[in-house]
Amino acid sequence: MSAANRLLRRTPRRRDRRGRGLRGLMYPVSTPAFRTRAERFDSKVLEALEPIEARWGPELADVDLAVDDVPAVDRTSPDEVVWGTGVLADVGVPLAHLVPAGVDSAGLPTRARIVLYRRPLEARARNGEDLADLVHEVLVEQVAEYLNIEPDAVDGG
């Protein structure tokens, strides 16, 4: 046996022996199945924000909107977890958080921010329509808290 053959045997075998990998996309780019769950959730957030922004656009000019997968928890014991102000929680699980404007650790000013938590919201929704309604309700609650008004006034009711 030659040294070249021994060397080839020592390298791990690839799953695709010719090194080509997948030949193309699994779904065409134009289909909804191509988008990830996070991208679909982001589009639902933007759809839910449109009517609120159309009505309250100038008042919301200094607010950023962010989406996180899950909330950050410092302690893991459920008895000790206490959410601060600005957190909209359902049965102890935060769905959104209003972070007020302030100063960061470097001394730079920060803008107010509404953070929606994708996974807890998706877990509470039965389907896509229910998720869109839930995202809209949570956004209305957080915008109302930021503007210091009633949620019915934000939604136009």
Side-chain angles (χ1 to χ4, degrees):
M1 184 182 296
S2 70
N5 285 342
R6 275 186 268 132
L7 181 63
L8 288 176
R9 285 188 184 162
R10 287 184 191 156
T11 59
R13 292 221 174 225
R14 295 182 182 170
R15 185 171 176 194
D16 180 9
R17 70 180 194 189
R18 291 183 180 84
R20 292 187 190 131
L22 291 175
R23 300 209 178 227
L25 298 174
M26 203 169 229
Y27 300 108
V29 178
S30 60
T31 61
F34 181 75
R35 294 176 25 204
T36 63
R37 278 184 12 189
E39 291 171 337
R40 288 192 298 264
F41 184 81
D42 291 345
S43 68
K44 285 187 190 321
V45 169
L46 292 175
E47 288 173 13
L49 184 64
E50 265 181 36
I52 298 169
E53 198 171 47
R55 185 164 185 203
W56 299 96
E59 288 85 355
L60 298 177
D62 295 332
V63 178
D64 293 332
L65 183 64
V67 174
D68 278 347
D69 282 342
V70 293
V73 179
D74 293 335
R75 298 183 182 136
T76 57
S77 172
D79 298 334
E80 297 178 17
V81 175
V82 176
W83 304 108
T85 59
V87 173
L88 178 64
D90 177 37
V91 192
V93 177
L95 304 178
H97 185 197
L98 174 64
V99 180
V103 178
D104 66 0
S105 60
L108 300 172
T110 60
R111 294 168 44 113
R113 184 174 62 243
I114 296 173
V115 181
L116 298 176
Y117 299 116
R118 179 176 66 88
R119 298 293 299 263
L121 287 167
E122 285 178 340
R124 278 151 182 78
R126 283 174 262 156
N127 54 30
E129 247 180 69
D130 194 27
L131 179 60
D133 291 341
L134 182 60
V135 167
H136 179 74
E137 288 176 19
V138 168
L139 270 177
V140 165
E141 290 280 335
Q142 292 298 303
V143 168
E145 186 172 339
Y146 173 74
L147 297 175
N148 201 18
I149 58 176
E150 291 295 319
D152 292 338
V154 172
D155 208 14

